[in-house]
Amino acid sequence: MKRIAVFALVLGAFVGCNHAVQVITEPSGQVTVAEGQQNVNLLCLVDEPMDFCIVKVPGAPAPFAASDKLPAPVEGIKFYGLGWSKGSCGITIDTIKPTHDGQFECTVSVKGQTYKGQIDITVSAVAPEPPKIELASNVDSRNGEFEFGKKVTMKCVSRNGWPGAKLSWYLDGVKLTDDVGAEFSETSNRRTTVQQIYRRAIAVEDNRKQVTCRAEHPAYPGGFMETSLPIKLKKVYTNDKQEPQKEDLTELIKPRPPQLIVSSEVAQRNGAFKAGSNLVVQCVSKDGNPPAGFLWFLNDQLIYEGLSAPFISRNIRGNTVQQTLTYRLKPADDGKMLICKARHPEGSEETRLKISTYN
């Protein structure tokens, strides 16, 4: 009996020395914060003294020791907690920024063993700027009037939201689906700009109607914002002495080499695209006069489907042309080359994107 009792004591001591340490986090598991929110505390706790505590903070260049005896090496962050001897370590973020969205992680050492705790930080949605409708610079709309039968190319832009807004077009309250291009998104520093091109041949019955672009976003009051463009038909006068249109006699300027940009909404895995998904890309030609025209190829096959209307904007350097392609990827497209060729009187240039797919 004595031997059994001694064995039980030894076994109990062994188990007691090797019990798993639980890292408790405050807040527990996850926290949602607003951009600009101040003095946000993130804390890790264990029920024994710590040997050390290393934290990894979203937006920080590298992990660092969170200690009351050491200054934090990242500006805007300081130590928070009772100290390692009390089984407590954490940080205070002075002001929440978009880069803080992600996972906070602490690695603590207790008696030579390391344990981890995590807090998922979600920086709440950031409202984009109000949407804007822009007309292509080759659209004749003097005095806000449009000519019957002419095609009008317009673009709706929603800038600097997180996540990006969802765009849709309406004509006097009726949703438009024909001649609406794919949404194209660009994301930089957790801010997304979304744009979509719409083209319409102005009809007599469009007079006094309004084209509206709606941007939907969770951070907008009511969930969306709209902007509208009134359509007014230009009056036609019968006059045999109309002046001929003047030709553009400015010098020819070769545009910069075109660029192919993949929409930030397209899912990728190590640079490959999922077969069966939509590849949304934009070709951009900048600073040419006259504006360049585009031809699209997949290897040597000319592409006609999935192209939005080209959108032209003009500044003092020349014309910028952009066109969006939406292409449904097939497994057989793996290894093929997507080509955008910009044609111009001063010479043509092209840009290429090699397509890799996965199932």
Side-chain angles (χ1 to χ4, degrees):
M1 292 294 294
K2 288 184 178 180
R3 289 183 178 179
I4 294 175
V6 171
F7 178 77
L9 284 172
V10 172
L11 180 61
F14 178 81
V15 173
C17 289
N18 290 274
H19 74 282
V21 172
Q22 182 181 6
V23 180
I24 298 172
T25 61
E26 294 181 0
S28 178
Q30 59 183 15
V31 61
T32 299
V33 291
E35 184 179 1
Q37 187 172 330
Q38 296 184 329
N39 298 323
V40 174
N41 299 322
L42 305 170
L43 183 63
C44 293
L45 299 166
V46 294
D47 57 5
E48 299 181 46
M50 299 176 180
D51 303 325
F52 63 79
C53 174
I54 303 294
V55 296
K56 185 167 65 174
V57 183
F64 59 89
S67 168
D68 54 341
K69 303 184 186 313
L70 297 170
V74 179
E75 185 179 358
I77 293 178
K78 56 180 179 287
F79 176 79
Y80 173 72
L82 298 177
W84 295 358
S85 64
K86 303 291 186 183
S88 169
C89 75
I91 60 164
T92 297
I93 301 176
D94 288 349
T95 304
I96 292 293
K97 300 176 182 177
T99 52
H100 291 132
D101 188 283
Q103 189 177 77
F104 166 85
E105 181 179 272
C106 60
T107 302
V108 301
S109 173
V110 177
K111 296 179 180 178
Q113 298 292 316
T114 57
Y115 308 91
K116 293 183 184 294
Q118 291 96 19
I119 302 173
D120 290 324
I121 306 171
T122 300
V123 179
S124 57
V126 177
E129 298 170 16
K132 293 182 179 179
I133 293 178
E134 302 173 3
L135 285 173
S137 59
N138 60 340
V139 173
D140 185 5
S141 60
R142 290 178 221 133
N143 302 318
E145 296 179 335
F146 300 96
E147 191 172 336
F148 161 71
K150 290 291 182 69
K151 288 197 172 181
V152 175
T153 304
M154 56 192 83
K155 177 173 68 175
C156 183
V157 184
S158 169
R159 292 185 170 90
N160 299 324
W162 183 255
K166 175 69 178 174
L167 304 181
S168 51
W169 293 84
Y170 296 82
L171 183 65
D172 269 11
V174 178
K175 190 171 184 178
L176 301 168
T177 55
D178 295 338
D179 298 316
V180 176
E183 281 187 5
F184 182 84
S185 301
E186 287 186 278
T187 300
S188 176
N189 298 323
R190 289 183 58 81
R191 289 293 183 272
T192 300
T193 293
V194 185
Q195 54 182 295
Q196 190 175 47
I197 294 173
Y198 172 61
R199 194 180 193 196
R200 184 175 189 83
I202 301 299
V204 173
E205 56 268 25
D206 291 337
N207 192 34
R208 302 185 181 279
K209 291 184 179 180
Q210 290 196 48
V211 174
T212 299
C213 174
R214 174 181 292 183
E216 298 177 45
H217 196 274
Y220 281 145
F224 67 89
M225 291 188 72
E226 295 180 339
T227 183
S228 296
L229 176 72
I231 297 177
K232 294 186 292 183
L233 282 182
K234 187 183 298 183
K235 294 181 180 179
V236 179
Y237 298 95
T238 303
N239 183 359
D240 294 336
K241 297 182 179 180
Q242 291 181 354
E243 294 183 4
Q245 292 185 344
K246 294 181 179 179
E247 295 183 4
D248 185 0
L249 300 178
T250 56
E251 63 177 322
L252 294 176
I253 302 173
K254 186 177 181 179
R256 291 191 238 167
Q259 294 177 289
L260 264 181
I261 307 167
V262 179
S263 171
S264 59
E265 296 300 306
V266 175
Q268 298 188 46
R269 181 193 294 172
N270 298 324
F273 309 106
K274 183 174 178 60
S277 67
N278 281 335
L279 176 63
V280 181
V281 293
Q282 191 173 83
C283 192
V284 183
S285 168
K286 295 182 177 180
D287 303 339
N289 192 55
F294 292 135
L295 287 176
W296 294 76
F297 298 87
L298 192 61
N299 282 355
D300 57 354
Q301 181 182 356
L302 188 62
I303 297 176
Y304 295 100
E305 299 296 326
L307 290 170
S308 70
F311 187 87
I312 303 173
S313 55
R314 181 180 296 139
N315 58 34
I316 58 174
R317 294 185 297 274
N319 297 277
T320 292
V321 190
Q322 60 187 80
Q323 187 174 38
T324 304
L325 167 71
T326 306
Y327 179 77
R328 191 79 169 176
L329 288 166
K330 300 180 285 292
D333 293 326
D334 186 59
K336 291 184 179 180
M337 198 71 68
L338 178 66
I339 304 167
C340 174
K341 184 174 184 178
R343 300 191 300 175
H344 190 269
E346 289 292 291
S348 299
E349 293 197 60
E350 62 185 39
T351 181
R352 296 173 171 234
L353 173 67
K354 187 174 182 179
I355 296 175
S356 297
T357 63
Y358 65 92
N359 293 318

